[in-house]
Amino acid sequence: MRVLITTDVVGGVWQFTHELATGLLREGLSVALVSFGGIPAAGQRRQCACLLSDFPNSFLYESSTAPLEWMQPNESAYSDGAQLLLRIAREFGADLLHSNQFCFGALPIDVPRVITAHSDVLSWAEACREQPLENSPWLSQYVRLVGDGLNGADLVVAPTRWMLDALMRNFSVSARCEVIANGRTIPLQEGAGRQLRAVTAGRLWDEAKDICMLAQVSSPVPLYVAGPMKHESSRAPVEMGAATLLGPLPEDELLQCFRESAIYICTSRYEPFGLAPLEAALCGCAVLARDIPSLREVWRDGARYFCDPQSLSALLDEFAADPDSLCAAQRRSYRRARSFSAEKMVKSYQAQYARVLTEMETGTYAA
């Protein structure tokens, strides 16, 4: 099977698609990966170079600076990418398109179109804003791009039931829908010099992360924050209390930071899945998660939960004073994180690819 996968270079979608592409290649599939949203970082280019070296006859990577549908401006988000994808689909001989942007579900292509819904602007706004988004040409274009893509899709996947329900609340979805959790495989390395400190990571400029909460936290342990501070016109809050800012870190340095830390704090008020806490837990951190439905769905009893700066401060006080409580939390987080393996994710997508191909070939499910 030859699969054309789209990705972006801005957030966790890149890590998801790299993990998925690697697993599919190991299973004997051929993968063409196409990124949008900007120039890939040096680490992202190295990852693709490694895949090309390991799978020279089965892997192709191309990048485009075409904007993502949620970016401003977004008028050319579909048109700038469509011709590139049509050319690659033809030259690569793609059997299936797996788009991690909504809009390319509308691509006029005679193969099944699978969309993974990692997040959407409307459910983001519901979680992050007290008032609905102001109607604007940008928002109208976004809603149109998402709607057209969903209407063209043969299968829509979300990483949590919460995300799928949120998407269906805001958009019409007629395609078959499935939930496939994200997965990561990171070896646990003991003896990494773990310190009694807490870390958080992500797109700090995204108000969904609510990183400014840390300014109100009283912590007996050092706090570290990793991630980019700005994107387009968005900026991270200046005030983060006593937290130490690490800036954006390459993947290997971020994982090493997790291995050297005892606690991961997920402050997000909107988090359809959350790869960073999963990675941190696989590196041995106890996960402290904001008490929102999506994180409850993912972590169950594998995390401790807080709802405000005061309850987060109390958890940090507990862990600082009681090493046994901290160790127990680390074990629970690691055990839960192990259930989200890359192998499980890859096999689930493989099964859905095969099913949607059969549905199209036999006409048992109309495209």
Side-chain angles (χ1 to χ4, degrees), residues 103-119:
C103 62
F104 298 125
L107 206 67
I109 189 171
D110 293 327
V111 300
R113 290 157 291 187
V114 176
I115 289 176
T116 295
H118 297 277
S119 64

Side-chain angles (χ1 to χ4, degrees), residues 149-310:
L150 289 171
N151 286 335
D154 300 289
L155 171 67
V156 175
V157 179
T160 54
R161 172 56 58 178
W162 181 91
M163 182 62 233
L164 186 57
D165 290 345
L167 182 70
M168 297 177 73
R169 184 170 64 248
N170 290 307
F171 296 95
S172 174
V173 183
S174 58
R176 181 166 60 82
C177 297
E178 299 287 344
V179 174
I180 300 177
N182 293 338
R184 286 285 272 135
T185 300
I186 300 172
L188 179 65
Q189 296 181 6
E190 294 295 352
R194 197 177 303 279
Q195 303 171 39
L196 182 57
R197 69 182 193 187
V199 62
T200 190
R203 300 185 303 195
L204 308 182
W205 49 266
D206 186 348
E207 60 194 272
K209 303 304 179 186
D210 200 20
I211 201 70
C212 60
M213 172 186 283
L214 295 180
Q216 305 173 57
V217 171
S218 173
S219 176
V221 304
L223 302 178
Y224 289 83
V225 178
M229 297 286 291
K230 61 182 180 179
H231 176 76
E232 296 183 332
S233 61
S234 299
R235 297 290 185 273
V238 175
E239 181 57 46
M240 295 188 200
T244 298
L245 301 181
L246 302 176
L249 297 178
E251 182 192 11
D252 56 344
E253 293 184 25
L254 181 60
L255 295 181
Q256 187 62 25
C257 179
F258 291 159
R259 294 186 180 106
E260 294 174 354
S261 303
I263 303 162
Y264 184 88
I265 303 172
C266 184
T267 59
S268 301
R269 52 187 159 190
Y270 177 75
E271 194 66 81
F273 183 85
L275 274 176
L278 175 60
E279 292 170 340
L282 289 170
C283 290
C285 292
V287 173
L288 300 184
R290 193 161 188 158
D291 197 352
I292 58 176
S294 56
L295 291 177
R296 283 277 184 179
E297 178 182 343
V298 172
W299 287 100
R300 298 183 185 175
D301 64 353
R304 297 285 298 276
Y305 297 92
F306 61 89
C307 56
D308 53 33
Q310 292 71 39

